Amino acid sequence: MIDTHCHLHFSEYDQDRETVFQRSWNSGIKTLILVGCDAEDSGQAMKLAQNFDGAFFSAGFHPHEAARWDLDKKQKLEELSLHPKCVAIGEVGLDYYRNLSPKEDQQKVFIEMLNLAKSRQLPLIIHCRQAGDEMVSLLKEQGPFPSSGVMHCFSGDSKYLKDCLKLGFYISFAGNLTFPNAQELRDRAAEVPMERLLAETDCPYLTPVPFRGKRNEPGFLSHTVRKLAEIRNLPFEEMSDGISQNARRLFKLGHHAGN
Ligand SMILES: [Zn+2]
Ligand SMILES: [Zn+2]
């Protein structure tokens, strides 16, 4: 299986990173994408990806960080995006829920990153919280995106989901899909065509039931995939094969070094 979105380069794993990798490998996660949140963090993801077979990374600038954007950081990300193990631009997007950076900054940086994805022909890893309308109009304005992308840790209503699908994006679900109060999210997961469905841990966050409350790790992905299988009334194997194929297609994993 493939964890399409994890942050194993974060300091949460400084004490036991090797062990976590080993456990993930043993539990069947043979490929993972280390997702960058700013220029420096994407550099850390790159370094870690170089050390592990089956590990790839993405270069991005999180909307939370948008107020700290400058030309140096832009250049660093442009460089990182040329690395043979860089499989996507992200995470990038809009977060109007926490609003840690002004909206105008978030939009400006997001557009820069959309342009980088287009010029490098890389897929996007998009973070969006409570900004669905702006997200859709920005993507329409700036698109099309021939290399597509994923709406990571999806949240939103049915209409937003349809708009994202119409724009050609994949939809990824994280561990919060397993939470008892997440019925609305499970309803959305039932509406995504099989060939556009993905799963992720977003670890260290969003630990699925039954480990909720603990630090998350790629090895816990199977709990989210099992929930997806249950929602769609499919055998676990069929679900895990299907979403792995989708991940390989979107991130062109067969074409990158080290796979
Ligand atoms: Zn995110
Ligand atoms: Zn993330």
PDB file of all heavy atoms in Angstrom, residues 141-154:
ATOM      1  N   GLU A 141     -10.070  29.457 -12.735  1.00  0.00           N
ATOM      2  CA  GLU A 141      -9.368  30.597 -13.321  1.00  0.00           C
ATOM      3  C   GLU A 141      -7.971  30.228 -13.794  1.00  0.00           C
ATOM      4  O   GLU A 141      -7.526  30.641 -14.853  1.00  0.00           O
ATOM      5  CB  GLU A 141      -9.198  31.621 -12.200  1.00  0.00           C
ATOM      6  CG  GLU A 141      -9.681  33.018 -12.432  1.00  0.00           C
ATOM      7  CD  GLU A 141      -9.593  33.733 -11.087  1.00  0.00           C
ATOM      8  OE1 GLU A 141      -8.470  34.071 -10.648  1.00  0.00           O
ATOM      9  OE2 GLU A 141     -10.658  33.890 -10.469  1.00  0.00           O
ATOM     10  N   GLN A 142      -7.255  29.462 -12.970  1.00  0.00           N
ATOM     11  CA  GLN A 142      -5.828  29.201 -13.218  1.00  0.00           C
ATOM     12  C   GLN A 142      -5.600  27.938 -14.043  1.00  0.00           C
ATOM     13  O   GLN A 142      -4.495  27.694 -14.489  1.00  0.00           O
ATOM     14  CB  GLN A 142      -5.074  29.064 -11.888  1.00  0.00           C
ATOM     15  CG  GLN A 142      -5.210  30.250 -10.948  1.00  0.00           C
ATOM     16  CD  GLN A 142      -4.460  31.466 -11.457  1.00  0.00           C
ATOM     17  OE1 GLN A 142      -3.402  31.352 -12.084  1.00  0.00           O
ATOM     18  NE2 GLN A 142      -5.002  32.645 -11.221  1.00  0.00           N
ATOM     19  N   GLY A 143      -6.623  27.096 -14.159  1.00  0.00           N
ATOM     20  CA  GLY A 143      -6.469  25.805 -14.818  1.00  0.00           C
ATOM     21  C   GLY A 143      -6.435  25.918 -16.323  1.00  0.00           C
ATOM     22  O   GLY A 143      -6.416  27.037 -16.846  1.00  0.00           O
ATOM     23  N   PRO A 144      -6.405  24.807 -17.072  1.00  0.00           N
ATOM     24  CA  PRO A 144      -6.471  23.443 -16.544  1.00  0.00           C
ATOM     25  C   PRO A 144      -5.125  22.945 -15.998  1.00  0.00           C
ATOM     26  O   PRO A 144      -4.086  23.549 -16.282  1.00  0.00           O
ATOM     27  CB  PRO A 144      -6.887  22.617 -17.768  1.00  0.00           C
ATOM     28  CG  PRO A 144      -6.340  23.372 -18.935  1.00  0.00           C
ATOM     29  CD  PRO A 144      -6.402  24.828 -18.544  1.00  0.00           C
ATOM     30  N   PHE A 145      -5.191  21.864 -15.261  1.00  0.00           N
ATOM     31  CA  PHE A 145      -4.003  21.247 -14.684  1.00  0.00           C
ATOM     32  C   PHE A 145      -3.844  19.833 -15.246  1.00  0.00           C
ATOM     33  O   PHE A 145      -4.398  18.877 -14.705  1.00  0.00           O
ATOM     34  CB  PHE A 145      -4.105  21.218 -13.151  1.00  0.00           C
ATOM     35  CG  PHE A 145      -4.267  22.600 -12.576  1.00  0.00           C
ATOM     36  CD1 PHE A 145      -5.515  23.107 -12.288  1.00  0.00           C
ATOM     37  CD2 PHE A 145      -3.158  23.413 -12.389  1.00  0.00           C
ATOM     38  CE1 PHE A 145      -5.676  24.399 -11.801  1.00  0.00           C
ATOM     39  CE2 PHE A 145      -3.300  24.706 -11.905  1.00  0.00           C
ATOM     40  CZ  PHE A 145      -4.558  25.192 -11.613  1.00  0.00           C
ATOM     41  N   PRO A 146      -3.085  19.730 -16.336  1.00  0.00           N
ATOM     42  CA  PRO A 146      -2.990  18.439 -17.033  1.00  0.00           C
ATOM     43  C   PRO A 146      -2.410  17.328 -16.148  1.00  0.00           C
ATOM     44  O   PRO A 146      -2.702  16.160 -16.373  1.00  0.00           O
ATOM     45  CB  PRO A 146      -2.044  18.734 -18.217  1.00  0.00           C
ATOM     46  CG  PRO A 146      -2.049  20.221 -18.363  1.00  0.00           C
ATOM     47  CD  PRO A 146      -2.315  20.784 -17.006  1.00  0.00           C
ATOM     48  N   SER A 147      -1.591  17.677 -15.156  1.00  0.00           N
ATOM     49  CA  SER A 147      -1.030  16.629 -14.291  1.00  0.00           C
ATOM     50  C   SER A 147      -1.923  16.366 -13.084  1.00  0.00           C
ATOM     51  O   SER A 147      -1.556  15.610 -12.188  1.00  0.00           O
ATOM     52  CB  SER A 147       0.379  17.013 -13.830  1.00  0.00           C
ATOM     53  OG  SER A 147       1.207  17.243 -14.950  1.00  0.00           O
ATOM     54  N   SER A 148      -3.066  17.053 -13.034  1.00  0.00           N
ATOM     55  CA  SER A 148      -4.076  16.833 -12.005  1.00  0.00           C
ATOM     56  C   SER A 148      -3.546  17.076 -10.587  1.00  0.00           C
ATOM     57  O   SER A 148      -2.608  17.857 -10.388  1.00  0.00           O
ATOM     58  CB  SER A 148      -4.643  15.414 -12.161  1.00  0.00           C
ATOM     59  OG  SER A 148      -5.686  15.184 -11.256  1.00  0.00           O
ATOM     60  N   GLY A 149      -4.144  16.411  -9.623  1.00  0.00           N
ATOM     61  CA  GLY A 149      -3.756  16.635  -8.235  1.00  0.00           C
ATOM     62  C   GLY A 149      -4.765  15.978  -7.321  1.00  0.00           C
ATOM     63  O   GLY A 149      -5.704  15.316  -7.778  1.00  0.00           O
ATOM     64  N   VAL A 150      -4.566  16.178  -6.016  1.00  0.00           N
ATOM     65  CA  VAL A 150      -5.444  15.553  -5.035  1.00  0.00           C
ATOM     66  C   VAL A 150      -5.913  16.585  -4.017  1.00  0.00           C
ATOM     67  O   VAL A 150      -5.140  17.447  -3.586  1.00  0.00           O
ATOM     68  CB  VAL A 150      -4.725  14.372  -4.328  1.00  0.00           C
ATOM     69  CG1 VAL A 150      -3.396  14.807  -3.723  1.00  0.00           C
ATOM     70  CG2 VAL A 150      -5.603  13.746  -3.246  1.00  0.00           C
ATOM     71  N   MET A 151      -7.191  16.512  -3.650  1.00  0.00           N
ATOM     72  CA  MET A 151      -7.707  17.290  -2.540  1.00  0.00           C
ATOM     73  C   MET A 151      -7.436  16.442  -1.304  1.00  0.00           C
ATOM     74  O   MET A 151      -8.127  15.458  -1.048  1.00  0.00           O
ATOM     75  CB  MET A 151      -9.209  17.553  -2.678  1.00  0.00           C
ATOM     76  CG  MET A 151      -9.648  18.076  -4.054  1.00  0.00           C
ATOM     77  SD  MET A 151      -8.688  19.453  -4.738  1.00  0.00           S
ATOM     78  CE  MET A 151      -9.213  20.803  -3.701  1.00  0.00           C
ATOM     79  N   HIS A 152      -6.375  16.801  -0.566  1.00  0.00           N
ATOM     80  CA  HIS A 152      -5.941  15.938   0.528  1.00  0.00           C
ATOM     81  C   HIS A 152      -6.814  16.145   1.759  1.00  0.00           C
ATOM     82  O   HIS A 152      -7.346  17.237   1.962  1.00  0.00           O
ATOM     83  CB  HIS A 152      -4.434  16.177   0.797  1.00  0.00           C
ATOM     84  CG  HIS A 152      -4.121  16.821   2.096  1.00  0.00           C
ATOM     85  ND1 HIS A 152      -4.030  16.108   3.266  1.00  0.00           N
ATOM     86  CD2 HIS A 152      -3.880  18.105   2.424  1.00  0.00           C
ATOM     87  CE1 HIS A 152      -3.743  16.948   4.248  1.00  0.00           C
ATOM     88  NE2 HIS A 152      -3.650  18.159   3.780  1.00  0.00           N
ATOM     89  N   CYS A 153      -6.970  15.093   2.542  1.00  0.00           N
ATOM     90  CA  CYS A 153      -7.808  15.113   3.742  1.00  0.00           C
ATOM     91  C   CYS A 153      -9.114  15.849   3.448  1.00  0.00           C
ATOM     92  O   CYS A 153      -9.425  16.862   4.052  1.00  0.00           O
ATOM     93  CB  CYS A 153      -7.069  15.775   4.901  1.00  0.00           C
ATOM     94  SG  CYS A 153      -7.972  15.666   6.450  1.00  0.00           S
ATOM     95  N   PHE A 154      -9.862  15.297   2.501  1.00  0.00           N
ATOM     96  CA  PHE A 154     -11.050  15.993   1.993  1.00  0.00           C
ATOM     97  C   PHE A 154     -12.026  16.355   3.103  1.00  0.00           C
ATOM     98  O   PHE A 154     -12.278  15.568   4.008  1.00  0.00           O
ATOM     99  CB  PHE A 154     -11.762  15.129   0.948  1.00  0.00           C
ATOM    100  CG  PHE A 154     -12.964  15.815   0.367  1.00  0.00           C
ATOM    101  CD1 PHE A 154     -12.810  16.691  -0.692  1.00  0.00           C
ATOM    102  CD2 PHE A 154     -14.225  15.623   0.912  1.00  0.00           C
ATOM    103  CE1 PHE A 154     -13.909  17.364  -1.221  1.00  0.00           C
ATOM    104  CE2 PHE A 154     -15.334  16.296   0.397  1.00  0.00           C
ATOM    105  CZ  PHE A 154     -15.170  17.158  -0.670  1.00  0.00           C
TER     106      PHE A 154
END
